[in-house]
Amino acid sequence: MNRLQSKLRQFDRSRGWHEVDPEHTFLHLVEELGEVARELLGRAAYKDAGGNLAGELADVALLLYKLADQLGVDLEEAALEKLAENEKRFPLEYSRLAMERYQKRRDED
């Protein structure tokens, strides 16, 4: 992730885009999330969305990395810390039982 953030930082600087405020980066991120939602809903409705889910997800990832960089957050470190917290918060047995209940309810619908 750090390599990607560094490459993205260089990409933005070369275009002057490093001047964009974090608030605007966040708005662009939300817009791209909407495009991912559109792709997923198209798939759920068994329609050919005619889009590019991988590309839309990549847009979301790039904007998330950019936002983290703008705010001075080491995204890789933060994600690893959060994963460690979640391992404690959601023990295996509890999580497996919750997933079984989820699948049962989903299958009943």
Side-chain angles (χ1 to χ4, degrees), residues 7 15 25 33 39 50 59 64 73 75 97 99-100:
K7 190 168 181 107
R15 288 158 179 79
T25 299
L33 282 169
E39 290 290 323
D59 284 340
L64 181 61
V73 173
L75 195 55
L97 291 172
M99 192 63 199
E100 287 174 15

Side-chain angles (χ1 to χ4, degrees), residues 1 4-5 8 60-69 75:
M1 283 191 206
L4 181 57
Q5 275 183 292
L8 180 58
V60 168
L62 290 172
L63 285 164
L64 181 61
Y65 296 144
K66 176 178 179 158
L67 183 61
D69 190 54
L75 195 55

